[in-house]
Amino acid sequence: MSEYSFKYHPDPLKTGAFMTDKTVVCECCGKQTDVYYTGPFYSTVEVEYLCPECVSSGAAASKFDGEFQDSESVDEVSDPSKLDELIRRTPGYHGWQQEYWLAHCDDYCAFLGYPDWNDLEKAGLAAEVEETYREDVNGIDFADAVEHIKVDGCYLFKCLHCGKHFVYIDFD
């Protein structure tokens, strides 16, 4: 696990949500940082650089009236504070068209990365993601989804409570 960990995005350096290739000035707090956010940020203000602290504290979302995940592109959970943590204090991920955040056990899942079908098979997750596959959010049946995952990859999530893995696919 990296130094910068978030409940719903546990390794944002590994997934590329944060980069470490240069030193920048965080546009929220004004401090220099060599770790900066590169994921989606939905705001009317164009923001180029945010540090992990301003993301995790919610300062960036408050200052720029923004969200790191589109609040309309998420599963529903019963506790509104979980949605607030997800959209205002969790780094998003890069989707091809529209990111969607999955939930299970009445909580948002952790985003783990961008595997393809070979990665899922090597990790021993292929059978599990077939079992947990959700046609309601992916829009196609599992057999067709596998073909997209083989070519384009997918977005892998893990339930924080029961440990089950889920995939979301985003394709043309």
Side-chain angles (χ1 to χ4, degrees), residues 112-123:
L112 302 181
Y114 307 93
D116 63 22
W117 189 251
N118 289 333
D119 296 329
L120 294 173
E121 286 182 325
K122 287 178 191 171

Side-chain angles (χ1 to χ4, degrees), residues 124-151:
L125 296 175
E128 182 179 345
V129 299
E130 180 177 6
E131 176 187 311
T132 63
Y133 181 76
R134 294 187 42 206
E135 190 174 329
D136 65 319
V137 295
N138 288 302
I140 59 173
D141 65 32
F142 186 73
D144 290 332
V146 170
E147 294 308 310
H148 285 286
I149 295 169
K150 286 179 179 178
V151 174

Side-chain angles (χ1 to χ4, degrees), residues 17-165:
F18 286 99
M19 296 296 292
T20 60
D21 60 340
K22 60 186 174 184
T23 300
V24 301
V25 174
C26 174
E27 294 175 45
C28 182
C29 67
K31 296 178 184 173
Q32 282 194 337
T33 180
D34 60 355
V35 179
Y36 60 96
Y37 182 65
T38 63
F41 186 61
Y42 303 96
S43 172
T44 59
V45 178
E46 186 70 31
V47 179
E48 191 169 356
Y49 299 116
L50 296 171
C51 70
E53 291 80 12
C54 288
V55 173
S56 68
S57 70
S62 291
K63 181 174 182 172
F64 300 112
D65 191 26
E67 297 178 344
F68 297 99
Q69 170 64 37
D70 175 12
S71 61
E72 298 299 315
S73 297
V74 299
D75 280 345
E76 290 186 29
V77 299
S78 63
D79 183 351
S81 69
K82 292 175 180 178
L83 176 62
D84 186 69
E85 180 173 353
L86 177 69
I87 66 172
R88 300 179 58 77
R89 296 187 306 281
T90 300
Y93 68 92
H94 288 286
W96 185 62
Q97 291 185 56
Q98 176 61 51
E99 301 82 10
Y100 189 89
W101 212 286
L102 300 173
H104 194 256
C105 293
D106 199 30
D107 198 358
Y108 293 104
C109 294
F111 174 70
L112 302 181
Y114 307 93
D116 63 22
W117 189 251
N118 289 333
D119 296 329
L120 294 173
E121 286 182 325
K122 287 178 191 171
L125 296 175
E128 182 179 345
V129 299
E130 180 177 6
E131 176 187 311
T132 63
Y133 181 76
R134 294 187 42 206
E135 190 174 329
D136 65 319
V137 295
N138 288 302
I140 59 173
D141 65 32
F142 186 73
D144 290 332
V146 170
E147 294 308 310
H148 285 286
I149 295 169
K150 286 179 179 178
V151 174
D152 301 319
C154 64
Y155 312 104
L156 181 63
F157 292 87
K158 182 178 181 180
C159 179
L160 297 173
H161 303 283
C162 71
K164 289 183 180 179
H165 291 85

